C-alpha cells in the first residue's frame, strides 16, 4: 500500500509540471528514437566478437576458410555499430540538454511569476534566502529529476529490456540465475531512495536557512561593522555551515550505502552467472562465444543498473526539491482580478476609504472602520502616531492587501471590482524605504516610465532637487548604483525614488515619509514639487510625520488607532480636535493610541 501511495504521489507531482514540457514533444520523440537506436547498437555490439571467437579463433569444426576476411568483416561491423551509437548518443544528449534547459527556464519563470503575485503575509512567513534557494537550487535539482535522470532511466530501461530479451533467447536458465538477485536490488533501491528523499528535504531546508542568514548579514554589513558584531556573526555562520554540512554528509552516506549495496548484489549475480555458464559450456550446452556474449551482456547490465541507483538518488533529491517548489505554487494568490473585473477610469476623481477594517495579526486591528476621502487637485497629509494605520492605508490603496470589511474605492468603484493592473497604473506609491536596484540611475528611473525621454528624466530629478547630485556622479544618469543604492545618502535615495514615481504621472500619488533625511531646503523643494503635482490635477497623499509642515496641506487626515478622528485644514483641526492638539504639541504623545475610541470620537467633530 505504501509503495502504491508513493507512486501515486510522485505521478501527481509529475503532472503538476506538465506545462513545463509544452512544445517539447518533437524533441522528446527525437530523444526516444535516438535512445532506441543506441539500445539496438549496444545489444548488437557483442555479436561481431562472438562470430570472430566461435568462427575464427575457436571453431567447433575445421578451421574457417579465409579467417582474416571474417575478422575484417566483423571488425568493420563493430566499428560501424560504434560510430552509429556515438552519433545517436550525441543527438540524444543534445535533445536532453534542450528539454532540460527549457524546463528549468519555464519552471523558474512560473515560480517567480507566482511569487510576485503573493501577498505580504506569505513573505512574512518565508525568508528571502530560502525562496532564493528554491528559485535557483531547487529548480535545478527538480529539472535534473524531471528530465536528465528520468530520460537516462528511460534510455537504460530500453537497453536493459532489449538485453534481457536476447539473454532469454540465448539461455533462459542463465537469465533466471541472474534474475535471482534483482528483487533484492529493487528493494534496496526503493528503500534507499525513500530515505534519501526525506533527508534531501531536510538538507534543502537547512541550506535555505543558511542562504537567508548570508543574505541578511551581507545586507547589514555596515551595521555589523559599526557594532563590532562581525566576529560573532562569523562564528554563527560557522555553526550554521556545520549544520548544513552534517545534513549533506548524511545524505551522501545514504547514497553511498545504497550504491554499494546494489554493486555488491550485482557482483553476486555476475559470479553466479559465470559459474553456472562455465558448467553449461563444459557440458557442450553453450559455446564459449555465446558465454562470452552472455557475460558481456551481464557486465553491461551492471553499468545501467548502478546508474539507475544513482539516478534514483538524483530523482529522490529532485522530488524533494519539486515538492518544495509545489508548496509555493500551491499557495493561493489572495489579490487577483474578479471574473467580471473592468478597467479603472483613466482619470478617477477621488480615492475613498469606506468603513475599512484590516488586521495584520489576529490580536489587533490596523484599521478599525476607517473613513477618508482624497480628491484630485488636493494635497493631503495623513498624520498620526506610530501604529495608527498610515502605512496600512497606503498598502490597501494599491491592493497589496484587501480590507476585511468595508471598501477602498477609486472613482466610485470598489478596487476589488477593477482590474488589478489598471488600479496600479492609476496609483503611484513611493514607499518609506527607498528601494533602488543595483543598476544605473537611468535604469532605476525608467522603472517608473520605460519610454521617458532624457528631458523628462532630468525634469523629474529637478523637481525633487536630485539633479545636482546626479550630475556630480561619475557617469551621471548612467552611473551604476550599488545594491540597494549603496553609495547614496538616505535623502538622495528617497529623492530618486520619488522622481521615479513622479515620472509615471499617476492621477493618484501616495508618498510615505518623503521628507525623512532631508534638510530644510530640500524638504521645502520636495513639498513644492508635490504641491505642483497636485495643482496639475492629481490627488497627492503624503504620509506625514513632520509637524512643522502640516500647515502646508490642503487637508490633514488625523488617524488614531486605525480610525480617522478628523479631517480638514490644519488650523481647523487645531481649533476643534483636542486629540489632534495633544498629538501635535506632544502633550502625552502616546495617549491618543491608548484612549478608548468612543472618547476620541466625542473630542473630534469633523
Amino acid at each position: 500500500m505504501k509503495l502504491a501511495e508513493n507512486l501515486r504521489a510522485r505521478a501527481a507531482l509529475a503532472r503538476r509540471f506538465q506545462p513545463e514540457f509544452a512544445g517539447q514533444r518533437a524533441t522528446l520523440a527525437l530523444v526516444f528514437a535516438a535512445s532506441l537506436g543506441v539500445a539496438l547498437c549496444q545489444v548488437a555490439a557483442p555479436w561481431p566478437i562472438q562470430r570472430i571467437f566461435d568462427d575464427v579463433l575457436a571453431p567447433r569444426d575445421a578451421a574457417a576458410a579465409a579467417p582474416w576476411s571474417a575478422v575484417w568483416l566483423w571488425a568493420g561491423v563493430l566499428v560501424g555499430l560504434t560510430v552509429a551509437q556515438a552519433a545517436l548518443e550525441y543527438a540524444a544528449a543534445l535533445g536532453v540538454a534542450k528539454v532540460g534547459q527549457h524546463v528549468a527556464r519555464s519552471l523558474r519563470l512560473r515560480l517567480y511569476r507566482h511569487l510576485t503575485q503573493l501577498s505580504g503575509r506569505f513573505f512574512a512567513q518565508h525568508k528571502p534566502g530560502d525562496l532564493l534557494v528554491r528559485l535557483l537550487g531547487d529548480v535545478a535539482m527538480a529539472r535534473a529529476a524531471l528530465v536528465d535522470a528520468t530520460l537516462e532511466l528511460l534510455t537504460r530501461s530500453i537497453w536493459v529490456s532489449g538485453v534481457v530479451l536476447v539473454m532469454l533467447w540465448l539461455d533462459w536458465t542463465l537469465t533466471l540465475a541472474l534474475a535471482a538477485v534483482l528483487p533484492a536490488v529493487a528493494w534496496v533501491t526503493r528503500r534507499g531512495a525513500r530515505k534519501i528523499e526525506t533527508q534531501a528535504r531536510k538538507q534543502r531546508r537547512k541550506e535555505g536557512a543558511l542562504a537567508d542568514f548570508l543574505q541578511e548579514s551581507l545586507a547589514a554589513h555596515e551595521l555589523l561593522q559599526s557594532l563590532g558584531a562581525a566576529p560573532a556573526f562569523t562564528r554563527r555562520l560557522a555553526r550554521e555551515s556545520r549544520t548544513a554540512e552534517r545534513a549533506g554528509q548524511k545524505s551522501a552516506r545514504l547514497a553511498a550505502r545504497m550504491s554499494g549495496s546494489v554493486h555488491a548484489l550485482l557482483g553476486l549475480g555476475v559470479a553466479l552467472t559465470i559459474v553456472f555458464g562455465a558448467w553449461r559450456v563444459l557440458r557442450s550446452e553453450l559455446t564459449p562465444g555465446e558465454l562470452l556474449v552472455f557475460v558481456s551482456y551481464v557486465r553491461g547490465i551492471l553499468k545501467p543498473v548502478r546508474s539507475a541507483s544513482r539516478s534514483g538518488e538524483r530523482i529522490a533529491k529532485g522530488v524533494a526539491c519539486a515538492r518544495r517548489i509545489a508548496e509555493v505554487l500551491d499557495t493561493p494568490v489572495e489579490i487577483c482580478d474578479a471574473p467580471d473585473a473592468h478597467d479603472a477610469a483613466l482619470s478617477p476623481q477621488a480615492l475613498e476609504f469606506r468603513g475599512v477594517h484590516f488586521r495584520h495579526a489576529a490580536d489587533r486591528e490596523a484599521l478599525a472602520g476607517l473613513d477618508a476621502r482624497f480628491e484630485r487637485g488636493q494635497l493631503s497629509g495623513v498624520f498620526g502616531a506610530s501604529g495608527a494605520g498610515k502605512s496600512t492605508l497606503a498598502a490597501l490603496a494599491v491592493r497589496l492587501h484587501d480590507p476585511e470589511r468595508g471598501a477602498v474605492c477609486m472613482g466610485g468603484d470598489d478596487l476589488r471590482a477593477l482590474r488589478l493592473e489598471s488600479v496600479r497604473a492609476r496609483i503611484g506609491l513611493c514607499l518609506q524605504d527607498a528601494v533602488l536596484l543595483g543598476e544605473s540611475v537611468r535604469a532605476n528611473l525608467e522603472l517608473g516610465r520605460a519610454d521617458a525621454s532624457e528631458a523628462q528624466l532630468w525634469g523629474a530629478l529637478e523637481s525633487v532637487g536630485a539633479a545636482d547630485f546626479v550630475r556630480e556622479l561619475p557617469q551621471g544618469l548612467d552611473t551604476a548604483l550599488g545594491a540597494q543604492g549603496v553609495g547614496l545618502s538616505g535623502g538622495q535615495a528617497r529623492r530618486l525614488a520619488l522622481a521615479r514615481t513622479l515620472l509615471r504621472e499617476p492621477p493618484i500619488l501616495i508618498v510615505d515619509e518623503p521628507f525623512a533625511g532631508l534638510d530644510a531646503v530640500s524638504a521645502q523643494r520636495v513639498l513644492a514639487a508635490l504641491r505642483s503635482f497636485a495643482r496639475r490635477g492629481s490627488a497627492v497623499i503624503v504620509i506625514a510625520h513632520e509637524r512643522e509642515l502640516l500647515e502646508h496641506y490642503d487637508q490633514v487626515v488625523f488617524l488614531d488607532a486605525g480610525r480617522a478622528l478628523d479631517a480638514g485644514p490644519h488650523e481647523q483641526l487645531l481649533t476643534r480636535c483636542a486629540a489632534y492638539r495633544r498629538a501635535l504639541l506632544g502633550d502625552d504623545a502616546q495617549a491618543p493610541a491608548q484612549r478608548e475610541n468612543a472618547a476620541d470620537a466625542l473630542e473630534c467633530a469633523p
Side-chain angles (χ1 to χ4, degrees):
M1 288 296 293
K2 287 185 177 180
L3 175 60
E5 290 176 4
N6 188 37
L7 290 175
R8 281 196 297 270
R10 290 197 178 193
L13 187 65
R15 286 195 296 272
R16 288 293 312 276
F17 301 107
Q18 279 185 353
E20 275 58 59
F21 289 89
Q24 299 301 303
R25 289 185 178 180
T27 306
L28 288 172
L30 173 65
V31 171
F32 180 80
S35 300
L36 183 60
V38 169
L40 291 174
C41 290
Q42 289 175 330
V43 169
W47 287 98
I49 300 175
Q50 183 265 341
R51 295 304 299 269
I52 293 174
F53 194 91
D54 282 348
D55 295 348
V56 178
L57 300 179
R60 286 185 175 183
D61 303 321
W68 280 108
S69 298
V71 169
W72 284 112
L73 172 64
W74 293 115
V77 172
L78 183 59
V79 170
L81 289 172
T82 303
V83 171
Q85 179 179 335
L88 291 169
E89 286 179 341
Y90 176 77
L94 287 183
V96 170
K98 179 183 177 182
V99 174
Q101 293 295 335
H102 174 84
V103 167
R105 179 177 62 84
S106 176
L107 182 55
R108 187 172 288 115
L109 285 174
R110 180 181 170 191
L111 179 60
Y112 180 79
R113 187 182 299 112
H114 190 76
L115 281 169
T116 59
Q117 296 173 340
L118 296 179
S119 69
R121 286 191 178 94
F122 174 85
F123 290 97
Q125 298 168 0
H126 294 80
K127 295 184 176 181
D130 180 64
L131 296 178
L132 189 62
V133 167
R134 298 190 196 216
L135 274 167
L136 297 176
D138 286 357
V139 166
M141 294 190 72
R143 164 254 171 114
L146 292 169
V147 181
D148 300 35
T150 301
L151 291 178
E152 181 180 343
L153 276 178
L154 174 64
T155 302
R156 299 299 183 184
S157 299
I158 293 173
W159 184 79
V160 170
S161 300
V163 166
V164 169
L165 290 176
V166 176
M167 289 168 63
L168 287 170
W169 174 71
L170 275 175
D171 195 301
W172 64 270
T173 55
L174 277 179
T175 306
L176 292 180
L178 177 64
V181 301
L182 293 183
V185 171
W187 180 80
V188 168
T189 302
R190 186 175 67 250
R191 185 168 180 268
R194 190 162 54 242
K195 289 185 175 180
I196 290 171
E197 180 181 337
T198 301
Q199 181 58 30
R201 297 190 72 180
K202 295 179 181 178
Q203 180 183 351
R204 299 304 287 180
R205 282 197 298 268
K206 294 181 185 300
E207 290 173 351
L210 178 60
D212 189 70
F213 169 77
L214 289 171
Q215 187 266 340
E216 287 186 343
S217 59
L218 289 175
H221 66 279
E222 291 182 346
L223 174 65
L224 299 184
Q225 291 173 1
S226 65
L227 296 176
F233 268 66
T234 302
R235 290 191 294 272
R236 181 179 167 188
L237 173 61
R239 292 195 300 271
E240 297 282 350
S241 298
R242 281 195 297 270
T243 301
E245 179 186 4
R246 285 194 292 269
Q249 289 176 347
K250 185 173 181 180
S251 181
R253 281 197 300 272
L254 289 172
R257 189 180 305 162
M258 182 178 74
S259 179
S261 300
V262 169
H263 187 75
L265 288 170
L266 291 174
L268 176 62
V270 172
L272 290 173
T273 302
I274 291 175
V275 170
F276 189 45
W279 177 72
R280 288 179 61 77
V281 169
L282 292 174
R283 288 167 55 92
S284 299
E285 296 174 355
L286 203 66
T287 68
E290 289 171 339
L291 178 60
L292 182 64
V293 169
F294 198 93
V295 172
S296 174
Y297 282 147
V298 171
R299 291 181 58 82
I301 285 178
L302 293 181
K303 182 177 179 181
V305 173
R306 284 197 301 267
S307 176
S309 69
R310 289 193 295 270
S311 296
E313 172 197 346
R314 292 164 64 192
I315 289 176
K317 291 182 176 180
V319 166
C321 293
R323 292 187 194 280
R324 281 166 46 85
I325 294 171
E327 287 174 2
V328 177
L329 295 176
D330 287 339
T331 304
V333 177
E334 298 178 17
I335 310 299
C336 56
D337 290 336
D340 57 348
H342 59 277
D343 283 339
L346 290 176
S347 301
Q349 293 302 308
L351 179 68
E352 190 174 1
F353 293 78
R354 300 175 181 174
V356 172
H357 290 257
F358 181 79
R359 67 180 71 229
H360 293 285
D363 57 340
R364 188 182 70 84
E365 281 191 313
L367 296 178
L370 173 66
D371 289 296
R373 182 179 174 86
F374 305 95
E375 297 185 357
R376 292 188 64 179
Q378 193 177 59
L379 177 62
S380 303
V382 179
F383 178 69
S386 296
K390 301 184 298 297
S391 295
T392 303
L393 176 151
L396 265 63
V398 291
R399 288 199 71 194
L400 297 181
H401 307 287
D402 279 335
E404 296 171 2
R405 282 185 289 160
V408 182
C409 299
M410 183 169 62
D413 292 319
D414 190 327
L415 296 187
R416 288 167 292 198
L418 302 174
R419 290 183 60 247
L420 184 59
E421 183 180 354
S422 71
V423 169
R424 292 174 178 171
R426 310 294 186 267
I427 300 178
L429 173 61
C430 187
L431 298 169
Q432 176 181 356
D433 296 326
V435 178
L436 298 176
L437 304 181
E439 300 183 22
S440 67
V441 175
R442 184 190 304 275
N444 275 278
L445 292 175
E446 288 176 347
L447 285 175
R449 184 174 177 180
D451 61 347
S453 66
E454 193 89 359
Q456 288 171 324
L457 294 177
W458 284 110
L461 292 172
E462 288 282 0
S463 68
V464 298
D468 291 341
F469 77 78
V470 171
R471 289 191 182 96
E472 294 173 359
L473 295 174
Q475 284 84 39
L477 285 173
D478 296 313
T479 301
L481 303 177
Q484 297 294 321
V486 171
L488 299 178
S489 69
Q492 289 173 332
R494 285 189 181 88
R495 279 179 280 175
L496 282 183
L498 179 57
R500 177 176 61 197
T501 307
L502 292 177
L503 272 172
R504 299 181 62 191
E505 298 184 355
I508 298 172
L509 172 65
I510 304 174
V511 189
D512 196 350
E513 294 192 49
F515 310 113
L518 301 184
D519 56 64
V521 174
S522 298
Q524 287 294 334
R525 191 165 186 176
V526 170
L527 179 63
L530 295 175
R531 178 174 292 280
S532 173
F533 200 75
R535 294 297 175 263
R536 295 201 303 270
S538 293
V540 180
I541 306 165
V542 178
I543 309 299
H545 283 258
E546 295 74 11
R547 301 175 183 182
E548 64 276 9
L549 297 179
L550 292 175
E551 62 186 34
H552 296 283
Y553 297 107
D554 298 320
Q555 75 158 346
V556 176
V557 177
F558 176 47
L559 297 189
D560 183 25
R563 296 184 301 121
L565 294 188
D566 205 345
H570 169 68
E571 294 297 332
Q572 293 182 16
L573 294 188
L574 277 177
T575 302
R576 71 190 183 206
C577 187
Y580 181 74
R581 289 196 300 274
R582 279 195 296 270
L584 186 64
L585 299 175
D587 297 334
D588 189 17
Q590 299 302 318
Q594 299 170 354
R595 289 192 302 272
E596 293 295 330
N597 291 343
D600 276 342
L602 292 174
E603 288 183 327
C604 298

